[in-house]
Amino acid sequence: EVLISYHVNSCTKYAFTTHKPERCLYLHESEELRRRPLFLDGDWNYYPKICKAGCKKNDTCIFSLNQVEVNYHPLSYKTTLCKFKEDECKKKYCDKAHSIKDLRNIVSLYYASYQSAALQPIPESNDVT
C-alpha cells in the first residue's frame, strides 16, 4: 500500500488535527507530491532518477520530479538500509530497510520489471529530448 499511496493524495485530517506529518501516509507539503509509479506495456511511467532538465512536462516526464518520487519508486524503495533501527526511526513509512532481511534486491526488481520486455537500463536524463 505504501508504494501505491504514499504522498499521492493530500491529507484531509491535517487541517483539523495535530498529527505528525512524518507519521502520515498522505501529502502535507505540495513539493512532496508524488505520481503513482505504473508499469505499463513493458515500461515505467517514470524512473527513479531526478530530471536534470528542469522540464515543464510534469506528469508526462519520464524522470522523477522530486526526491520523494525517487525514494518511493518500486525500483528504489527499501533497497538501502536506514541509519536508524526500526524502533528508533521517526518515519512511519520509511523508504529505507531497517534490517538485512527487509532489503529489496534491486537486480531482482529490474529483472521482474523487464522480463516481458527488452531489458533496458534507466535512460540518462540528458538523453531526453
Side-chain angles (χ1 to χ4, degrees):
E1 181 181 356
V2 174
L3 286 178
I4 295 169
S5 302
Y6 188 79
H7 283 205
V8 172
N9 297 307
S10 294
C11 180
T12 57
K13 297 178 185 176
Y14 191 56
F16 306 105
T17 65
T18 55
H19 71 279
K20 297 178 180 179
E22 66 274 6
R23 308 279 304 156
C24 184
L25 185 65
Y26 300 102
L27 178 69
H28 295 94
E29 303 293 332
S30 61
E31 62 271 5
E32 292 186 356
L33 180 63
R34 176 179 162 260
R35 295 172 288 172
R36 185 170 280 130
L38 303 170
F39 190 73
L40 302 168
D41 299 322
D43 212 358
W44 289 99
N45 61 326
Y46 71 90
Y47 291 93
K49 192 174 212 175
I50 294 286
C51 179
K52 293 180 186 173
C55 73
K56 307 285 186 239
K57 295 179 184 179
N58 295 324
D59 286 348
T60 61
C61 184
I62 66 166
F63 296 102
S64 297
L65 302 175
N66 56 46
Q67 195 60 46
V68 175
E69 283 193 346
V70 172
N71 295 351
Y72 290 87
H73 191 283
L75 295 178
S76 56
Y77 181 72
K78 296 202 182 280
T79 58
T80 59
L81 285 171
C82 184
K83 62 182 177 180
F84 300 104
K85 294 178 183 175
E86 189 169 9
D87 58 343
E88 297 171 349
C89 187
K90 290 182 177 24
K91 293 170 77 176
K92 181 175 181 178
Y93 302 102
C94 187
D95 57 296
K96 309 287 189 226
H98 292 100
S99 69
I100 298 294
K101 76 174 181 76
D102 291 336
L103 273 174
R104 298 171 77 224
N105 184 322
I106 191 70
V107 174
S108 298
L109 294 170
Y110 272 100
Y111 179 75
S113 295
Y114 293 104
Q115 65 185 350
S116 62
L119 183 62
Q120 298 177 14
I122 295 175
E124 292 295 323
S125 59
N126 302 7
D127 298 340
V128 177
T129 54

